[in-house]
């Protein structure tokens, strides 16, 4: 079965420190992987994606993610966290079924950056 | 700039009443998704359409939920009759599948409260 796991419900970091939000996936075939961010009372916003090519993907707001095929992971990273990065982050993988394609989202990880 | 719009933003209703949520996808997008977000279940895919045809509605309770796309600029999600357990935030998203990726653009959501 195709799935996405975000093992941490919450990640706490101090402003200026590096942050990592973890994601692992299980999918048949080549994975298409995504990160989205959700701010309070808002819809999800696209951050970045991995389709093919370089394992390190750069996205919006200084975020990047590293695709690791052997570990089936796609962790989200940022070298220096900002208080404004505090939000709910979702990892997603493209899923295939007989009807078509859609995204499967993880449960989400709440990132809290303290000043 | 182009964005997905949803109406109403908030809806409070009583159990047993019909609820209709509307979504206007981004012009030119060929795929529309309906999601439900709750604290307990996270983000669940309810249904999605491609070129206005329903592709997958396996995530939707069939007895009370229905999703339609009367035209390319309008998608609707109806609940009849509504129940307190339907209380959630309902998101619509649109995308251009077939362009090589599955990036989705989310609307601001409809917060539904069923008393």
């Amino acid at each position: 079965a195709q799935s996405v796991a975000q093992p941490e419900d919450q990640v706490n970091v101090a402003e200026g420190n590096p942050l990592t939000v973890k994601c692992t996936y299980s999918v048949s075939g080549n994975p298409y992987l995504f990160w989205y961010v959700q701010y309070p009372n808002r819809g999800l916003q696209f951050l970045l994606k991995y389709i093919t090519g370089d394992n390190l993907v750069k996205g919006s707001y200084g975020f990047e993610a590293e695709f690791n095929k052997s570990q089936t992971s796609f962790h989200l990273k940022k070298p220096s966290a900002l208080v404004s990065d505090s939000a709910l982050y979702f990892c997603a993988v493209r899923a295939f079924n007989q009807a078509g394609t859609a995204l499967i989202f993880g449960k989400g990880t709440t990132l809290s950056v303290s000043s | 700039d182009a964005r997905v719009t949803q109406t109403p933003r908030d809806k409070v209703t009583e159990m047993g009443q019909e609820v209709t949520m509307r979504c206007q996808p981004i012009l030119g997008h060929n795929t529309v998704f309906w999601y439900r977000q709750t604290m307990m279940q996270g983000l669940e895919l309810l249904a999605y359409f491609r070129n206005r045809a329903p592709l997958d509605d396996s995530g939707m309770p069939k007895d009370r939920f229905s999703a339609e796309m009367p035209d390319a600029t309008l998608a609707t999600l109806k609940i009849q009759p509504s129940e307190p357990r339907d209380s959630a935030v309902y998101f619509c998203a649109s995308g251009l599948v077939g362009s090589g990726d599955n990036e989705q653009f989310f609307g601001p959501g409809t917060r539904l409260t069923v008393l």
Side-chain angles (χ1 to χ4, degrees):
Chain A
Q2 299 165 108
S3 63
V4 172
Q6 293 180 243
E8 302 154 316
D9 290 336
Q10 177 137 358
V11 170
N12 299 310
V13 298
E15 188 173 32
N17 284 358
L19 69 88
T20 298
V21 182
K22 296 179 180 178
C23 171
T24 59
Y25 65 90
S26 173
V27 62
S28 54
N30 294 323
Y32 284 26
L33 297 158
F34 302 78
W35 276 102
Y36 284 79
V37 60
Q38 184 180 27
Y39 297 102
N41 301 314
R42 302 282 295 276
L44 277 68
Q45 296 177 33
F46 170 79
L47 272 181
L48 51 79
K49 66 186 176 189
Y50 172 83
I51 305 297
T52 186
D54 289 341
N55 289 343
L56 187 63
V57 179
K58 294 189 183 297
S60 307
Y61 312 121
F63 283 93
E64 55 190 27
E66 186 169 12
F67 170 65
N68 188 317
K69 188 173 183 178
S70 62
Q71 297 185 4
T72 61
S73 67
F74 189 56
H75 301 332
L76 182 69
K77 301 180 179 183
K78 188 172 183 180
S80 179
L82 299 173
V83 173
S84 58
D85 293 330
S86 298
L88 182 59
Y89 290 81
F90 290 94
C91 181
V93 63
R94 187 177 73 171
F96 294 88
N97 57 34
Q98 60 185 10
T101 63
L103 291 182
I104 296 176
F105 286 87
K107 290 285 190 181
T109 298
T110 298
L111 173 66
S112 179
V113 182
S114 56
S115 56
Chain B
D1 59 332
R3 60 183 65 188
V4 176
T5 59
Q6 290 186 248
T7 56
R9 292 294 309 275
D10 283 278
K11 175 72 175 179
V12 180
T13 190
E14 293 187 346
M15 183 173 62
Q17 296 299 305
E18 177 178 301
V19 174
T20 298
M21 291 169 272
R22 293 177 174 80
C23 167
Q24 183 172 14
I26 292 174
L27 190 65
H29 281 185
N30 61 0
T31 308
V32 173
F33 304 83
W34 282 105
Y35 293 91
R36 175 171 63 185
Q37 185 178 34
T38 61
M39 290 291 292
M40 293 299 294
Q41 299 297 325
L43 199 62
E44 303 173 277
L45 176 66
L46 296 176
Y48 70 101
F49 294 76
R50 181 159 310 145
N51 298 322
R52 296 177 54 202
L55 280 194
D56 187 357
D57 61 1
S58 58
M60 202 165 65
K62 302 286 193 306
D63 56 339
R64 299 182 299 108
F65 284 60
S66 63
E68 296 178 347
M69 278 202 75
D71 61 60
T73 65
L74 177 64
T76 62
L77 180 66
K78 290 186 180 179
I79 308 174
Q80 168 63 18
S82 58
E83 297 181 2
R85 59 178 168 155
D86 300 329
S87 298
V89 181
Y90 290 81
F91 289 105
C92 173
S94 72
L96 187 58
V97 176
S99 61
D101 59 53
N102 283 67
E103 181 180 340
Q104 296 180 19
F105 296 80
F106 281 74
T110 294
R111 182 177 298 276
L112 174 65
T113 303
V114 183
L115 304 174

